[in-house]
Amino acid sequence: MSKQASRTAYEPVGRGDQRDGAAGDEKVMLKPVVGMFGSIAFIVGSIIGTGIFLSPTGVLEGVSGSVGWSLVVWVICAAFSVCGAYCYLELASIFRKSGGDFTFMDEIYGPMVGYVRVWIMFFMGCPVWSAVQCIVVATYITTPFFQCNDPPFIAVRLLSICVMLVTIFINCYSTILATRFQIIYTIAKNVGLAVIILSGIVLLCRGETDNFRNAFQSQEPFDVRKISGALYAGMFAYSGWSFLIFIVEEVKNPKRTMPIAMNISMTLVTVLYLLANISYLTAMTPQEIIGSDAVAADYAVRVLGSWSWLIWAFVAISAAGCLNSGVYTRTRLIFAASREGRFPRILSFIHIKHHTPILPLILPIPITLVMLCWANVWFLINFMGFIEVIFQTMCYCIIPYVRWKYPEREIPFKTNILVSLVAIAANIFLMVLTMISVPIDCLIGVCFIAAAVGLYYLDLFITSHPDKYSGVTDKINNLLQRLFLSVQQEGKTY
């Protein structure tokens, strides 16, 4: 690296002009490295996590043990997810920037909403979801070594920390390497599902069809609240379809790639989920599935015998794939928000060699470690899920607003307006359900949003007095730039 590049690379934020290049003639910027197969891997790898291995219990319980209606619920949840995916594809084609829902809300609702969204993601979203996935990976890796009993708490947490650090290192080192790992994870988790599906087909051929007789007959009368729970469990299993929208600037030819990848991925996931549920039912009764804490593991013990450890390994790989895609995509939301001035601008800087947004990847680590040390992080999922649904619904509402406010605006990917209305209605239903089921968790979520609003106005006060605070912030930014070898992005990628 030249002297000129070295001198400007560590210049404090807010001083100096744009550079012609930090490393030779190559500009420091995010690269479009995610092709069609990588896009499919990100979507499928983000969706197929632990949900299909756990959610069948909640779905069957919600429909009172009716096999036929449980499969109908899986199809309905897939349809709702496709509606949401099409809404996000249209929004991405309108705004054409990375950042996902932050970009959409910042453009339409204004800087305060954008700030709240990225604050929640940085301080709660990234650490909570990363901690949960790390714990799942560690639990499924260690459990077979303890005769399928609960492994020691300290062993799970230490392995969780190792999983987190390795994943963050991969994402810091290279976006291409992270994409390749995502492809490997996606192939591996589909192999795991294939083992379950093929073994189920074998059982079907042997005549194990007792659970499919009178398929739409339930064990007890339907309960509306339980049906709602079935839909919620199914929607959880399909979550993750939005992750590709967060990295639109890193997708090759996104106008063509993203719609095709989304259609292929959602079709593939829906078929795999239906076949997996049918396979479970060839070896386990609805009552056994309802009483199971880990359906795939219990199915494997019954069908695969001494080879059941394979399913434990594949579930761990599935969670690792979700962790990798989540780390990759959620940090792009923070990167985009910082680039737009809604968060400290130092978080939008790119490593001069690896061309990755290294600071948004590394800085949440201490918060994630705190979450991992918590004895029970699962309660965090409820209020984080409630917050995510609120933001998601606000994004869906943008589509009818833009159609009404800017009728002449070019929209490369345009969905039927009914699609957005169905997505809005489904999410409102989920929010009401959550408020009824776990009101305290929802209240905690609302308190976090209120705290973010307060911090927004505090940030406005600080930035309105640059003579008092600019010296301190410049020193911090200069230190972080030198420590992490990062500079401001030098080329426009949107």
Side-chain angles (χ1 to χ4, degrees):
M1 188 171 65
S2 66
K3 286 185 178 180
Q4 178 66 20
S6 299
R7 186 167 59 251
T8 56
Y10 306 126
E11 204 167 73
V13 178
R15 300 177 186 175
D17 298 319
Q18 287 284 344
R19 299 162 301 282
D20 293 329
D25 294 328
E26 187 178 13
K27 290 185 175 181
V28 179
M29 56 189 291
L30 295 177
K31 306 290 185 181
V33 297
V34 183
M36 180 66 73
F37 197 62
S39 298
I40 294 172
F42 266 107
I43 300 171
V44 174
S46 301
I47 296 175
I48 301 178
T50 56
I52 186 57
F53 305 108
L54 303 175
S55 290
T57 296
V59 173
L60 263 172
E61 184 177 13
V63 293
S64 302
S66 171
V67 171
W69 284 114
S70 71
L71 297 178
V72 170
V73 167
W74 282 102
V75 174
I76 291 173
C77 291
F80 285 160
S81 299
V82 169
C83 289
Y86 278 10
C87 289
Y88 268 47
L89 282 174
E90 177 169 335
L91 292 171
S93 73
I94 294 173
F95 300 108
R96 305 175 192 178
K97 293 181 182 179
S98 291
D101 45 15
F102 158 76
T103 298
F104 310 149
M105 291 189 289
D106 187 69
E107 293 279 350
I108 298 299
Y109 296 112
M112 186 185 77
V113 177
Y115 181 93
V116 170
R117 178 66 183 111
V118 72
W119 188 91
I120 292 291
M121 180 59 72
F122 184 84
F123 288 101
M124 294 303 300
C126 289
V128 166
W129 298 123
S130 295
V132 168
Q133 296 296 348
C134 286
I135 291 172
V136 171
V137 174
T139 300
Y140 273 85
I141 289 175
T142 54
T143 298
F145 294 98
F146 293 91
Q147 289 75 46
C148 294
N149 295 318
D150 291 337
F153 175 86
I154 189 66
V156 171
R157 290 312 190 266
L158 288 175
L159 185 56
S160 299
I161 293 171
C162 294
V163 170
M164 178 193 66
L165 294 177
V166 169
T167 302
I168 290 175
F169 171 79
I170 291 170
N171 280 269
C172 287
Y173 185 78
S174 169
T175 55
I176 295 176
L177 182 62
T179 302
R180 288 174 180 170
F181 262 92
Q182 190 61 35
I183 292 172
I184 294 171
Y185 286 140
T186 301
I187 293 172
K189 67 176 63 180
N190 279 292
V191 170
L193 275 178
V195 170
I196 292 174
I197 291 168
L198 290 175
S199 61
I201 291 174
V202 171
L203 291 175
L204 280 174
C205 293
R206 291 178 179 175
E208 299 292 341
T209 58
D210 291 347
N211 291 327
F212 299 100
R213 296 190 178 97
N214 302 316
F216 287 91
Q217 190 174 39
S218 59
Q219 305 297 321
E220 56 187 55
F222 279 104
D223 187 326
V224 174
R225 289 172 296 179
K226 286 187 176 182
I227 294 174
S228 303
L231 290 170
Y232 195 83
M235 293 294 287
F236 167 75
Y238 282 103
S239 62
W241 48 259
S242 65
F243 279 11
L244 187 67
I245 311 300
F246 285 69
I247 59 170
V248 62
E249 294 171 35
E250 297 171 71
V251 177
K252 299 176 182 176
N253 191 11
K255 184 177 178 181
R256 175 182 179 273
T257 300
M258 293 175 67
I260 295 175
M262 191 69 75
N263 285 325
I264 292 174
S265 301
M266 294 306 297
T267 302
L268 176 63
V269 169
T270 302
V271 171
L272 289 175
Y273 276 14
L274 288 174
L275 291 176
N277 276 278
I278 291 171
S279 297
Y280 293 145
L281 288 161
T282 60
M284 302 173 68
T285 65
Q287 292 74 23
E288 288 172 334
I289 293 176
I290 292 172
S292 173
D293 292 328
V295 179
D298 290 342
Y299 173 87
V301 170
R302 182 167 300 188
V303 176
L304 301 179
S306 60
W307 290 93
S308 61
W309 62 269
L310 282 172
I311 299 302
W312 291 88
F314 284 128
V315 174
I317 292 171
S318 292
C322 287
L323 173 65
N324 184 67
S325 61
V327 167
Y328 190 112
T329 56
R330 291 188 182 106
T331 52
R332 270 42 176 193
L333 183 151
I334 298 168
F335 165 82
S338 303
R339 186 177 60 186
E340 298 296 326
R342 304 292 179 256
F343 228 46
R345 191 152 60 93
I346 188 68
L347 294 176
S348 67
F349 280 28
I350 306 294
H351 193 277
I352 59 176
K353 179 181 177 182
H354 301 300
H355 295 184
T356 56
I358 190 169
L359 285 165
L361 288 162
I362 291 178
L363 293 183
I365 289 178
I367 308 174
T368 307
L369 290 174
V370 172
M371 300 295 180
L372 286 173
C373 293
W374 218 304
N376 181 15
V377 300
W378 302 106
F379 83 97
L380 299 170
I381 293 178
N382 282 331
F383 79 79
M384 273 308 304
F386 180 70
I387 293 172
E388 293 292 330
V389 171
I390 290 175
F391 289 135
Q392 206 174 67
T393 307
M394 292 174 68
C395 289
Y396 295 157
C397 292
I398 293 174
I399 292 178
Y401 172 77
V402 170
R403 299 274 187 93
W404 166 74
K405 185 72 173 179
Y406 309 103
E408 304 301 324
R409 187 163 189 169
E410 179 188 0
I411 303 177
F413 183 87
K414 197 170 186 177
T415 62
N416 191 301
I417 192 67
L418 289 177
V419 171
S420 62
L421 297 179
V422 169
I424 292 169
N427 270 26
I428 291 175
F429 172 77
L430 285 176
M431 283 192 290
V432 173
L433 167 66
T434 308
M435 287 187 288
I436 294 173
S437 303
V438 282
I440 300 300
D441 294 343
C442 294
L443 180 61
I444 294 173
V446 172
C447 289
F448 270 102
I449 293 175
V453 173
L455 285 174
Y456 170 74
Y457 286 106
L458 177 62
D459 186 58
L460 282 183
F461 174 79
I462 293 174
T463 54
S464 64
H465 296 81
D467 52 325
K468 294 183 180 180
Y469 304 104
S470 61
V472 175
T473 56
D474 279 354
K475 288 179 181 178
I476 294 173
N477 291 338
N478 194 15
L479 174 64
L480 290 174
Q481 281 187 269
R482 291 179 181 275
L483 185 61
F484 294 106
L485 298 176
S486 298
V487 297
Q488 190 172 358
Q489 182 170 260
E490 296 178 323
K492 189 174 181 179
T493 54
Y494 58 91

